[in-house]
Each structure stands twice: as C-alpha cells, then as structure tokens.
Amino acid sequence: MLYLVALLLHCLPLAMGQYDICKSWVTTDDGPSWEFYACQPKAMRMKDYVTVRVDPAGITCGDPPERFCTHENPYLCSDECDASNPDLAHPPKLMFDSEDEGLATYWQSVTWRRYPEPLLANITLSWNKSIELTDDIVITFEYGRPTIMMLEKSLDNGRTWHPYQYYADDCMEAFSMPARRVRDLSTTSANRVLCTEEYSRWAGSKKEKTVRFEVRDRFAIFAGPDLKNMDNLYTRLESAKGLKDFFTVTDLRMRLLRPALGGTYVQRENLYKYFYAVSNIEVTGRCKCNLHANLCTFKEGSLQCECEHNTTGQDCGKCKKNFRSRSWRAGSYLPLPNGSPNACAAAGSAFGNCECYGHSNRCSYIDFLNVVTCVSCKHNTRGQHCQHCRLGFYRNSSAELDDENVCIECNCNQIGSMHDRCNETGYCECKEGATGPKCDDCLPNYYWRQGCFPNVCDDELLLCQNGGTCYQNQRCVCPVGFKGVLCQQSRCEADKKDCDGAASVHGSLGTVLLGALALQLRGWVDL
Ligand SMILES: *[C@@H]1O[C@H](CO)[C@@H](O)[C@H](O)[C@H]1NC(C)=O
Ligand SMILES: *[C@@H]1O[C@H](CO)[C@@H](O)[C@H](O)[C@H]1NC(C)=O
Ligand SMILES: *[C@@H]1O[C@H](CO)[C@@H](O)[C@H](O)[C@H]1NC(C)=O
Ligand SMILES: *[C@@H]1O[C@H](CO)[C@@H](O)[C@H](O)[C@H]1NC(C)=O
Ligand SMILES: *[C@@H]1O[C@H](CO)[C@@H](O)[C@H](O)[C@H]1NC(C)=O
Ligand SMILES: [Ca+2]
C-alpha cells in the first residue's frame, strides 16, 4: 500500500505538468526516502498583486471635471469625467478590476487641450518581487490605441529601467527604428528589443483595442506553434545567456507618448477627443523562485516564495542558516524531465565533516595529513574550512562566517604602510611618521610628500627666522640677504657685497618678491 502511494506520488510530476512538485517520497532498494526535483509556482494573474502609479500628477481626468468626445462622434461631446463622482470618475485602479460583461471600466487621462505640447503619461506597475512572464502582456485601450508608446521594464524594483518594446504607427519617424514583428525573430534574436507597428495604426476605436507584448510568440521560437515542445524552451532558458532574465521583471512601465488621432492629423479645433483610456492590463506570470518553490503566497502586501530545498529569501535566493556547506545555486530545468534541485546542504553532510561556510563547492582529502579540506575558497577566504581571510583582507565584524562579504580588503596606503596586511580591525602597519587606519595621514609635525617626512619648519617651534615664511612645512622661503634652513644665517657673512644698505630694506619688507624688487631698485639707485 505504502509502495503504491509512493509510486503514485512519484508519477505526479508527469501527470501534473512540468516542475510542479519539489519532492516526493519514493521507495528504492535502500528503502523509502525523499527525492527532490526542480520546481516552480503556477502562473498567476499578476494584476491582482500589483501596485500602480500614474505620472505626472494631474494626468488623471476629472479634477476639475471636464468633457470629452470620441472619434466616432467628435462633435457630440456629452461624456464627462468627474473625479468627485464615483459614476463619472476614472481612477487608475479601474485598469485592474475584473470587467463585468459588456461594461468596461477604465482609467482615463485629461484631454489634449495643451496641444501642441505632447500629452505624456507613465503607468508604472510594481510587484516588489521578481516575476517570470509566461504569457503575453495585454493592454486594452478604450477609444483607440496610442500612436506612439513604449514599454519599459525594471529588474531591480525600479532603480534601473530598460526598454522592452517600442510601439508606433511609424517606427522610423517616432524612434528611428525599422518596424519588425516578433514572429520574424530567430533563435539567436529571441530577446531582441524591437519596434512594432502592429498595434498603433487606427482601425476604428471599437475594433482593435489591444496592445501586446508578445511573450508566446517569443516562446514559440523554441517551443514551436502552440508551445507543444516546452522541453526545448526549458533547455534554451537554461543554456542561452540572458534569455531567462529577458522574461523576468519586477516592474513594468508604459510610457504613453501620443494618443490615438483617429485620422492622419490633429484637429486643433476639437482637442477634446484626444486622450488615453485603459480598461485592463493583463500580466500573466509566475513568481521567480529559482526553481526552489512550487508555491508563492501574498503576505504583508508582497509576494513571497514558499522555499523548499532548504533555501530561503523572497526568491529562495540563498541557503537557510546551517545549510551552507556549499554555495547556493538556482535549481535547473535540466536534465529533463525533472531537472536538478541543487538543494542546499546541511553543514557536515558533505564529506563527513567538511564545512566550507558556503565559500567552496569542493573538498579534497589530503592523504599524508589525513584531513579533508575545502578547495579553492572563494570570497577572499582561505583555510581548511574557508574560515580565515586571505592575506590583505580582514574579517567583517558585521557579517557571519558564511556571508559573501565576510572578508574586507585592507586597502593599506602603499606608500604610508609597511605592507598590505592589516590587523583584525582593518588597521594597517604604518611607516615612521604615517598614521590613520590605512596609513594615509601623517602624525603631527610630519608632512605628506610621497610618504611622511618630519617638518622642516612650522608655526610653533621651528619658526623661520628674519622674516622668512614657512612653505607647506617643507622649507623656509628666505628674504634676500638670508639663508639657511630657517633663514637664520645672514648672507653678509659670506658675501660682503650684499650687505651695504640692504639689511634695513630686507628687514622691513621681508618677502622674496619684494626683496627681488628691492634688489632692482638698489641697482637703479647705484647708477
Ligand atoms: C516617464 O518615465 C521616464 C523614465 O522611465 C521619465 O524619463 C519621464 O520623465 C516620465 N514621464 C512622465 C510624464 O512622468
Ligand atoms: C518588499 O518586499 C520585502 C520582502 O518581502 C519587504 O521587506 C518590503 O517591505 C517590501 N517593500 C514594499 C515597499 O512593499
Ligand atoms: C532540508 O533539511 C531538512 C531538515 O534537516 C531535511 O530533512 C531535508 O531532507 C532537507 N532537504 C533537502 C532538499 O536537502
Ligand atoms: C559587512 O557585511 C555586511 C553584511 O553582509 C555588509 O552589508 C557590509 O557591506 C559589509 N561591509 C563591507 C565593508 O564590505
Ligand atoms: C588594530 O590596530 C589598531 C591601531 O594600532 C588598534 O587600535 C586595535 O586595537 C588593533 N586591533 C586589534 C584587534 O588588535
Ligand atoms: Ca477595468
């Protein structure tokens, strides 16, 4: 009986579709045990979990209330938008509600009354979670699709943005790009960002309402029409660099750049028929869990993977505490059909007792010492268990031993320090006169010039004499008639000619410049 259940469970992955379960209880010759597989959550309607932002402020219609017309009936402007009246308001949330039969609810912008100034609007969708798209993004426009728009995406919660697709009725004119179709892309260009004219031409506002980002057509390049050969797609996602990331987003942004015109030019006398109205944005995808979870739940306002394989984090992007004997790895779709779980392993489970704190994937047995030791410690660590920092690095006191940031570079000043090693708190060993944690400063009474040197002069004890001035603690600039390190020696003693009548001038003016001037003056007087 137990065996039957186990057999049934074992067959589940095939019965349920690919990568749906993370583990099953199987019976082998050695008795029953868990078997682990790569797994991913089901695709969901992502609009149910999104936060939306519409820019700029004041772009939503109805405040103050205004009339608008439609392209079908441009002179019958009976429609009204009024933000204070729930029946006539068109707030952003109406892009994400579920539509009742026949009656579309939609967000609407102000009209283009400021023409020829462009009518620009950004609609930004944020999930605070990485999402893998599994189907087309479909944006539905009531009253006509924009003649120019752009889709952008972010992979880092909105810190950086990248173009995803350009849309225009004339790609060359709007973006200086040739028009292309996703259907014409090949296996080597499946992740190309292109400009399409398919969704921007006027076809009557009621006929063609949708603008798509074609995920299925791109998948079909590998999986064939109807996506029958998903194995081939999964193999490609695993092996083609950047392909998986292409379909991954944390945020999307629609930049609406020019509304539907309903003809070839803008009619200045009736600007009330130009505006944007979006009734629905459909985004289908699954939580990115790095193939370590088959469930994704909405908790405290954010999506969160229910991590298996002893991983943790919002995307199962790291190993659980005490399961860090190897570095974390994402699960893999390969080998088909169940993939590799690449699970995190408990400390002490690999090679008897060799813990490497996640800095190495390999251990090796050293015969003559009879010890097992970690090989090729990463993250600037070293030692049998990768438990020390390499020379020139010191221990980050706020990081655990299994943290990637555990070792910090000493960064000793090359000139000021004896060598490039430092003590446990990051202090370098300084040469004479140098100071500071990195030895890039000088002690008092020293000056920096390719290293620290004792002051020649200063304002306290080593004063320049006879009106000399101290130049950057390095030397005294002496008035004419004096010399010596501190200008303490009169030139008269050495050269009698310099003395006559000069001493009084030098004494009172005292700078080199004036001294030189005085010399010239004296020559003139002598004549
Ligand atoms: C829309 O977003 C882009 C950046 O993606 C920004 O440069 C632009 O100013 C925004 N436009 C509006 C109207 O907020
Ligand atoms: C985003 O998700 C993280 C992790 O679940 C959470 O800690 C954070 O508060 C969320 N941020 C926002 C703005 O919701
Ligand atoms: C994760 O840890 C638990 C508890 O130690 C263990 O029973 C389980 O087999 C581990 N799972 C994997 C995939 O290694
Ligand atoms: C020390 O480790 C913490 C925790 O990982 C990290 O946030 C911090 O950046 C590290 N400090 C340095 C200087 O690398
Ligand atoms: C490292 O050196 C600095 C400066 O000499 C000293 O203050 C500090 O106590 C030293 N830290 C350790 C752990 O020895
Ligand atoms: Ca709606």
Side-chain angles (χ1 to χ4, degrees):
M1 183 61 199
L2 184 70
Y3 180 80
L4 238 175
V5 171
L7 194 74
L8 204 70
L9 277 170
H10 191 38
C11 294
L12 270 179
L14 298 173
M16 289 173 62
Q18 273 171 308
Y19 310 112
D20 277 352
I21 66 165
C22 298
K23 62 183 174 195
S24 72
W25 185 245
V26 297
T27 310
T28 63
D29 291 346
D30 303 332
S33 66
W34 285 110
E35 201 167 273
F36 300 99
Y37 317 110
C39 51
Q40 60 188 7
K42 285 196 183 46
M44 310 193 280
R45 259 177 34 164
M46 285 298 166
K47 73 173 185 182
D48 297 344
Y49 310 100
V50 79
T51 36
V52 63
R53 196 192 141 93
V54 177
D55 288 306
I59 189 72
T60 300
C61 69
D63 182 18
E66 83 176 306
R67 286 188 181 286
F68 60 94
C69 332
T70 64
H71 290 292
E72 273 72 24
N73 262 327
Y75 297 101
L76 190 69
C77 302
S78 54
D79 290 323
E80 195 180 352
C81 176
D82 181 354
S84 63
N85 178 343
D87 290 336
L88 300 175
H90 293 282
K93 67 172 187 217
L94 298 181
M95 296 184 277
F96 306 99
D97 57 350
S98 39
E99 305 283 10
D100 289 332
E101 261 322 294
L103 196 70
T105 56
Y106 48 90
W107 166 79
Q108 187 176 321
S109 76
V110 295
T111 59
W112 203 359
R113 48 180 190 250
R114 293 240 180 93
Y115 178 87
E117 201 180 293
L119 181 63
L120 304 177
N122 284 355
I123 303 173
T124 306
L125 314 187
S126 307
W127 282 275
N128 190 25
K129 169 79 189 79
S130 37
I131 308 287
E132 291 165 345
L133 300 176
T134 57
D135 208 333
D136 293 4
I137 298 170
V138 185
I139 309 151
T140 309
F141 287 88
E142 304 296 323
Y143 306 108
R145 304 175 292 189
T147 45
I148 307 180
M149 71 170 263
M150 197 187 153
L151 186 65
E152 291 182 323
K153 74 162 198 171
S154 171
L155 251 174
D156 53 11
N157 293 316
R159 272 184 289 281
T160 57
W161 290 90
H162 311 278
Y164 216 8
Q165 191 144 305
Y166 297 84
Y167 302 85
D169 53 358
D170 185 337
C171 281
M172 216 52 190
E173 184 195 282
F175 297 112
S176 306
M177 291 170 84
R180 298 181 68 128
R181 293 188 315 172
V182 171
R183 263 164 275 151
D184 302 332
L185 293 176
S186 69
T187 51
T188 52
S189 61
N191 57 353
R192 175 162 303 171
V193 173
L194 48 78
C195 182
T196 174
E197 295 178 354
E198 266 187 274
Y199 307 101
S200 311
R201 281 191 231 105
W202 177 252
S205 66
K206 293 279 185 282
K207 253 166 83 191
E208 294 284 355
K209 293 182 164 190
T210 57
V211 171
R212 283 174 181 269
F213 178 76
E214 307 92 333
V215 171
R216 289 180 74 89
D217 283 348
R218 291 184 193 250
F219 282 177
I221 296 169
F222 307 107
D226 306 327
L227 308 184
K228 286 224 173 74
N229 189 358
M230 287 301 276
D231 278 0
N232 194 26
L233 173 64
Y234 285 130
T235 304
R236 281 303 187 126
L237 284 174
E238 204 59 63
S239 53
K241 203 168 173 290
L243 193 59
K244 234 188 213 174
D245 277 352
F246 180 78
F247 297 106
T248 309
V249 307
T250 57
D251 303 65
L252 288 169
R253 176 175 287 161
M254 275 133 253
R255 296 179 63 181
L256 311 181
L257 301 169
R258 194 176 66 192
L261 303 185
T264 44
Y265 64 97
V266 178
Q267 284 181 303
R268 278 168 172 270
E269 69 279 9
N270 188 355
L271 295 173
Y272 296 109
K273 61 176 182 174
Y274 305 112
F275 55 87
Y276 306 107
V278 179
S279 58
N280 194 44
I281 302 178
E282 205 64 58
V283 180
T284 311
R286 61 167 60 97
C287 291
K288 171 181 172 165
C289 301
N290 287 299
L291 295 174
H292 289 311
N294 61 354
L295 286 176
C296 186
T297 51
F298 196 57
K299 271 191 239 161
E300 290 145 24
S302 284
L303 288 164
Q304 165 83 49
C305 301
E306 300 281 334
C307 302
E308 303 260 3
H309 303 156
N310 294 312
T311 61
T312 186
Q314 206 188 12
D315 302 349
C316 309
K318 52 186 182 179
C319 291
K320 268 193 351 220
K321 225 176 158 62
N322 302 323
F323 288 91
R324 294 177 187 167
S325 64
R326 296 184 220 134
S327 311
W328 173 90
R329 282 163 69 198
S332 167
Y333 287 120
L334 304 177
L336 300 165
N338 288 330
S340 320
N342 294 335
C344 293
S349 67
F351 298 93
N353 214 1
C354 187
E355 161 83 85
C356 300
Y357 295 105
H359 302 306
S360 165
N361 283 325
R362 275 196 304 140
C363 292
S364 136
Y365 177 67
I366 302 178
D367 209 3
F368 66 95
L369 293 174
N370 191 27
V371 293
V372 178
T373 181
C374 304
V375 179
S376 320
C377 296
K378 288 186 291 188
H379 313 133
N380 304 309
T381 62
R382 66 177 176 91
Q384 186 186 355
H385 304 291
C386 306
Q387 79 276 37
H388 298 303
C389 287
R390 271 174 46 201
L391 290 182
F393 292 80
Y394 68 104
R395 177 75 200 276
N396 179 348
S397 59
S398 55
E400 305 257 1
L401 212 44
D402 55 14
D403 195 311
E404 280 190 18
N405 299 314
V406 66
C407 294
I408 304 172
E409 194 169 1
C410 289
N411 242 329
C412 301
N413 185 290
Q414 283 194 358
I415 299 165
S417 52
M418 311 276 277
H419 43 71
D420 57 9
R421 298 188 295 277
C422 54
N423 77 5
E424 287 144 59
T425 46
Y427 279 80
C428 303
E429 205 178 323
C430 299
K431 288 184 190 159
E432 195 204 325
T435 187
K438 307 300 169 199
C439 308
D440 49 6
D441 258 340
C442 291
L443 288 168
N445 301 323
Y446 285 81
Y447 69 93
W448 181 270
R449 190 177 165 219
Q450 306 286 342
C452 295
F453 293 92
N455 286 352
V456 173
C457 56
D458 59 30
D459 297 334
E460 288 164 24
L461 296 170
L462 300 164
L463 291 169
C464 298
Q465 306 293 305
N466 297 311
T469 50
C470 183
Y471 175 74
Q472 293 181 352
N473 300 108
Q474 292 173 21
R475 60 192 164 86
C476 288
V477 180
C478 299
V480 179
F482 294 96
K483 60 179 192 173
V485 177
L486 295 173
C487 315
Q488 73 280 26
Q489 195 183 358
S490 165
R491 283 186 189 272
C492 303
E493 284 155 31
D495 186 354
K496 207 81 180 109
K497 202 173 69 185
D498 268 358
C499 299
D500 307 325
S504 63
V505 176
H506 299 155
S508 57
L509 293 179
T511 67
V512 181
L513 193 68
L514 287 174
L517 191 70
L519 249 174
Q520 274 198 346
L521 255 170
R522 190 171 55 100
W524 183 69
V525 168
D526 277 354
L527 278 170

